[in-house]
Amino acid sequence: MKSEANPSARIRTLRETYGMSQKVLAERSAVPLELIKKIEAGIIPDLAPLVKIARTLGVRLGTILDEDRELGPVLTRKGEGEEHLRFITPNAQRLENGLKYTVLAAGKAGRHMEPFIIEVPAKADAPRSSHEGEEFFYVISGHIRLEYGTLSYDLSEGDSIYYDSMVPHRAVALDGQDAQVLAVVYTPV
């Protein structure tokens, strides 16, 4: 199967390859049908539904996010990460105001972790996310508040946090400034 160029197209291609309708994918993944339609149209609001869809399709999250091309190490130089996802947050009027995920290990075959650089705009108001696995955040610049269940943690440049991603969570930029985070997501297969 030839891999398509973006996550929305890959989901559609996998779904169609398996002879699965959008309705069946929605039922099996517990992702609402309207959200499946939006995702396949290129509107991706959050990482959580992608995790559910990947599991339902029997693939790793990385299979949806990029092509698995490299069996050995994958080196990503500064500025060479591949922008694959831009999440549109509820209060964002334009796509540019959503969270931007840049994939750092695009093409690494068989990986179990998903490393990203996440740009969190000061005006973003992302919904809480909950999905299987674990996450590690390292604040590269700015200040963020990680809302985690009923708790919240304020992190500054150089701070990190490791947590269970089943607990509803979200990152919010503080002080009216954009923030940048290195995130590593582990999702069990």
Side-chain angles (χ1 to χ4, degrees):
M1 168 177 46
K2 184 179 183 296
S3 180
E4 294 292 330
N6 64 61
S8 298
R10 283 190 197 101
I11 290 169
R12 184 178 52 255
T13 299
L14 284 166
R15 178 182 59 72
E16 290 173 351
T17 299
Y18 298 151
M20 191 181 299
S21 68
Q22 288 179 329
K23 183 179 178 185
V24 170
L25 179 58
E27 290 168 356
R28 291 181 183 174
S29 67
V31 173
L33 178 58
E34 286 306 310
L35 184 53
I36 297 280
K37 290 178 180 180
K38 286 181 181 180
I39 289 170
E40 286 192 8
I43 300 170
I44 303 173
D46 188 5
L47 192 63
L50 297 183
V51 171
K52 291 177 181 178
I53 290 169
R55 183 171 280 282
T56 301
L57 294 172
V59 298
R60 296 177 310 96
L61 180 59
T63 301
I64 288 175
L65 297 179
D66 58 53
E67 294 182 58
D68 292 342
R69 299 180 299 267
E70 181 60 53
L71 296 175
V74 172
L75 174 64
T76 305
R77 300 269 186 212
K78 182 178 181 178
E80 291 180 352
E82 294 183 19
E83 180 186 328
H84 280 280
L85 299 174
R86 222 181 245 275
F87 295 141
I88 299 174
T89 59
N91 294 336
Q93 297 302 313
R94 299 178 326 208
L95 188 60
E96 296 82 36
N97 290 340
L99 300 181
K100 176 184 169 188
Y101 280 58
T102 301
V103 178
L104 296 179
K108 173 65 177 135
R111 69 181 183 272
H112 300 283
M113 300 180 295
E114 305 295 338
F116 302 99
I117 296 291
I118 303 174
E119 292 181 29
V120 184
K123 295 182 181 181
D125 186 21
R128 288 179 181 241
S129 176
S130 175
H131 51 88
E132 290 184 79
E134 302 170 340
E135 292 186 34
F136 172 80
F137 269 26
Y138 175 86
V139 180
I140 297 170
S141 64
H143 303 279
I144 68 160
R145 173 168 294 134
L146 180 72
E147 296 175 356
Y148 181 79
T150 60
L151 305 172
S152 64
Y153 302 90
D154 290 357
L155 294 94
S156 298
E157 186 175 319
D159 293 343
S160 66
I161 189 165
Y162 188 114
Y163 56 92
D164 179 356
S165 50
M166 285 296 290
V167 176
H169 59 279
R170 73 175 183 158
V172 178
L174 299 177
D175 305 328
Q177 300 291 318
D178 295 350
Q180 193 175 53
V181 176
L182 167 66
V184 180
V185 178
Y186 166 76
T187 306
V189 178

